Amino acid sequence: MSSSSPSPSAEAPKAPAGLSRFNTADDGTAEAALHEVCASRAWGNRILAQRPYATTEALFAASDAAMGELTADDLAEAMAGHPPIGRPKPGDPASAREQRGMAGASDALKAEMLELNLAYQEKFGHVFLICASGRTGEQMRDAIRNRIDNTPEQEREIVRRELGKINRIRLSRIAELAEGDAA
């Protein structure tokens, strides 16, 4: 009969270095890092209050739960931290990295995206928000074309899901960063 007790090598995995640093950072430093992930103070406060996180998945779960609790005003605050697609925030490597799919877009596609962004913003009162990582310019254009006919309520929930995806990508960078790496 074999023993079912775990062996010493079956211990819980060690938290990634970046997650350990985030867990032990002073509140001001952690708050600043969270603000770079998501501009919503309510979201950041919820994440900050639940430290420490044993795993990156636990951090993601907390992020998802906090995102689900955001009010319309909280979502508006979060969206205000995102530049329009096709116009990454100057000097912001995360913005440029996430919108890489527009970097090589033709002038015609860039002009079309500007027009669509303006129409979207006119209708909904905020920038078109999509998790752009890994998407081509054409895919983003097609998404805005499809979403512009949504109701404000439908679009608010799509934006909530897209923000959640973006937050997970950005949180994973925090969790995985080795000391001295640039975010």
Side-chain angles (χ1 to χ4, degrees):
M1 192 162 182
S2 67
S3 171
S4 62
S5 63
S7 67
S9 63
E11 294 175 14
K14 185 179 176 195
L19 183 58
S20 294
R21 252 191 322 284
F22 172 73
N23 282 334
T24 58
D26 64 80
D27 284 352
T29 300
E31 185 176 5
L34 290 171
H35 189 74
E36 290 297 315
V37 171
C38 181
S40 166
R41 287 184 304 262
W43 177 88
N45 289 339
R46 286 180 178 104
I47 302 305
L48 194 60
Q50 295 179 48
R51 288 189 307 164
Y53 294 95
T55 65
T56 303
E57 282 304 318
L59 178 60
F60 289 165
S63 175
D64 294 346
M67 188 57 60
E69 296 171 6
L70 295 185
T71 66
D73 287 343
D74 296 332
L75 282 172
E77 183 179 35
M79 286 183 286
H82 290 269
I85 295 293
R87 292 184 282 158
K89 196 181 318 178
D92 179 359
S95 178
R97 182 176 50 251
E98 291 166 356
Q99 293 196 30
R100 190 174 298 136
M102 285 300 296
S106 68
D107 289 343
L109 179 56
K110 288 178 182 176
E112 185 178 9
M113 280 302 291
L114 176 60
E115 185 178 311
L116 288 165
N117 273 316
L118 291 172
Y120 180 97
Q121 193 159 352
E122 173 84 17
K123 179 175 181 178
F124 295 108
H126 57 79
V127 298
F128 171 69
L129 192 111
I130 188 169
C131 182
S133 294
R135 293 182 186 255
T136 66
E138 290 82 3
Q139 289 170 324
M140 289 183 268
R141 178 206 54 214
D142 294 347
I144 196 170
R145 282 180 179 169
N146 290 331
R147 287 172 49 189
I148 203 156
D149 291 328
N150 287 340
T151 66
E153 295 77 21
Q154 289 170 317
E155 196 56 23
R156 185 173 34 257
E157 291 313 307
I158 291 170
V159 164
R160 185 184 306 273
R161 286 192 305 272
E162 294 298 310
L163 277 167
K165 293 176 195 176
I166 294 165
N167 289 356
R168 278 177 165 247
I169 290 167
R170 291 178 175 185
L171 286 170
S172 70
R173 289 192 60 79
I174 287 174
E176 299 299 327
L177 282 177
E179 194 165 355
D181 285 352

